[in-house]
Amino acid sequence: LGISRQQLHCILDESKPVSPSTAVRLGKLFGNGPGLWIRLQAAYDQWHAERTTDVSGIPTLDAA
């Protein structure tokens, strides 16, 4: 992959995200392209953000 064992371990341990360059490398290795890996990371980030970000004080705007 061209990344260190420590970097791979951190990704598997969920302590570091999949960077775009790592997504390209994973996509090449598995033959499914970088888009899948980038979307998986974005979905993971969104899932965590929705559970840890307090939005209770933000109003929702209604369309006029």
Side-chain angles (χ1 to χ4, degrees), residues 3 6-18 22:
I3 62 174
Q6 183 62 39
Q7 184 178 356
L8 181 58
H9 174 75
C10 288
I11 291 169
L12 295 174
D13 191 35
E14 299 179 7
S15 60
K16 296 240 176 174
V18 174
T22 303

Side-chain angles (χ1 to χ4, degrees), residues 6-64:
Q6 183 62 39
Q7 184 178 356
L8 181 58
H9 174 75
C10 288
I11 291 169
L12 295 174
D13 191 35
E14 299 179 7
S15 60
K16 296 240 176 174
V18 174
S19 69
S21 63
T22 303
V24 170
R25 294 169 191 272
L26 290 169
K28 172 65 171 122
L29 176 68
F30 292 110
N32 52 15
L36 170 70
W37 298 97
I38 291 172
R39 288 189 303 274
L40 286 170
Q41 183 63 53
Y44 177 85
D45 293 342
Q46 178 185 344
W47 185 86
H48 278 284
E50 288 175 342
R51 283 152 184 77
T52 60
T53 305
D54 180 17
V55 295
S56 61
I58 301 173
T60 300
L61 298 177
D62 293 323

